[in-house]
Structures are given as structure tokens and as C-alpha cells.
Amino acid sequence: GRASRSVDEAVEGGRLRALVQYLAPPPHLLICGGGPDAQPVAAAARTLHWRVSVMDHRPAYATAANFPGAEVILCEPRKLRSAIDLTRCHAAVVMSHHLPSDAAYLRELAQAGVPAYVGLLGPTARRQRVTRELGPWGPALHSRIHGPVGLDIGAVTPEGIALAIIGQIHAWLACVEIQ
């Protein structure tokens, strides 16, 4: 099971009592877009000991040195589902700053049906425009997409925005059972 429990067993010469504690695996965050503002998002997630994967189609951005401790994947957005096992991701943040790439990432995430949390960087109008461009796949993201991504904490710096994003995902994860 996925719950902590006590075990009480008869053993030779007495009884053994033990506590078996269930420890959920660390959350796995997928960041779609490896630009400079993705670096503090990955760093904040790694500080919490989350697993982090960063994907970008631009070699200059898909650089492991920019994302210590994260898995970095150089791949076209339209190949997202073949490049990473999305069933193992708890949350994804789409932040490539390139509308066609963001739309391709979102289409892949919509078609996969996972993860349940999808964050999109940018204002509400941009989210509405991108989801309209997804056509029939737009409604598949409706209940999963968070945009603008992040808590409204008045953040303006990349580090503050990263805190807002990771804070929102952390709060969301606390409300769901991590598997």
C-alpha cells in the first residue's frame, strides 16, 4: 500500500513491532523550454529534491551545464511524447517563449493526457490564443492548464517568478496523491 502502517509479528521468542513508513517518490517536473528564465525554475525544484527534466529544441538552450542535477533533452517539441515518459512526470511547465513551440508542447501534453498539471508562462490572453490554436486538443487541456503559471506574489525577477511557479506546483501537489 501507499500508507504508513505498523507491523506486529510473532517471532521466535517474542514479538516484533515495527513502523513501515511509506515515502512517496519525489515529484518529477518537466520544463519545456530551456531559456535563461528556466534555470531558476529548475534550480528551485532541485532545491526541493525534485527530479527535473528540461527539454528544448535549441542546442544553445539544451545545455546540461545550465541545469545542474537535471536531465536535459535536446528534442523538437513535436517529439515530446517519444523523448520522455510523461506518465512519470507530475507537472510540466511550458516556457519556451516561442509561440509555435509552446503550441507544439501543449499539443503533445494534451494528446498524452498527462501530467495533470500543465503550467504555461505568459498572460491569460496568450494562454487563450495558444489553446485556440490547438483546435480540438484545446479542451483536453482545459482542466489541466494553469496560466499564467505561478502564484500571484508580485514577482518580477526570474528568481521571484521561479518561486511563484514552484510554489504553485508545490501547493497543487500537496492536494493530490503523488504516485
Side-chain angles (χ1 to χ4, degrees):
R2 287 188 157 79
S4 298
R5 57 187 164 75
S6 62
V7 177
D8 196 0
E9 295 287 329
V11 293
E12 188 177 323
R15 297 200 65 73
L16 171 68
R17 179 174 287 162
L19 173 67
V20 178
Q21 184 176 8
Y22 171 74
L23 297 174
H28 187 171
L29 173 64
L30 170 63
I31 302 172
C32 301
D37 61 337
Q39 294 173 23
V41 175
R46 290 294 304 138
T47 298
L48 295 171
H49 303 287
W50 293 3
R51 292 172 290 165
V52 177
S53 297
V54 179
M55 176 176 286
D56 204 297
H57 65 284
R58 301 163 289 193
Y61 289 153
T63 305
N66 293 340
F67 299 98
E71 172 190 29
V72 179
I73 304 164
L74 176 62
C75 183
E76 288 296 322
R78 69 189 189 319
K79 304 232 174 170
L80 173 66
R81 288 180 293 152
S82 61
I84 189 165
D85 181 359
L86 291 170
T87 64
R88 295 188 177 273
C89 296
H90 297 91
V93 177
V94 177
M95 53 186 308
S96 78
H97 296 283
H98 183 243
L99 195 66
S101 295
D102 283 357
Y105 284 127
L106 290 171
R107 187 173 297 105
E108 288 287 302
L109 292 165
Q111 290 175 359
V114 288
Y117 178 102
V118 176
L120 178 63
L121 193 68
T124 302
R126 187 174 190 275
R127 183 196 75 229
Q128 292 168 343
R129 179 179 171 196
V130 173
T131 52
R132 269 195 312 272
E133 288 185 18
L134 295 178
W137 290 108
L141 282 175
H142 181 72
S143 65
R144 297 165 47 206
I145 197 161
H146 300 261
V149 67
L151 299 171
D152 185 2
I153 60 171
V156 292
T157 65
E159 293 77 14
I161 293 167
L163 176 64
I165 291 170
I166 295 302
Q168 184 180 59
I169 296 170
H170 192 282
W172 183 85
L173 289 169
C175 295
V176 297
E177 181 182 336
I178 298 176
Q179 297 183 16

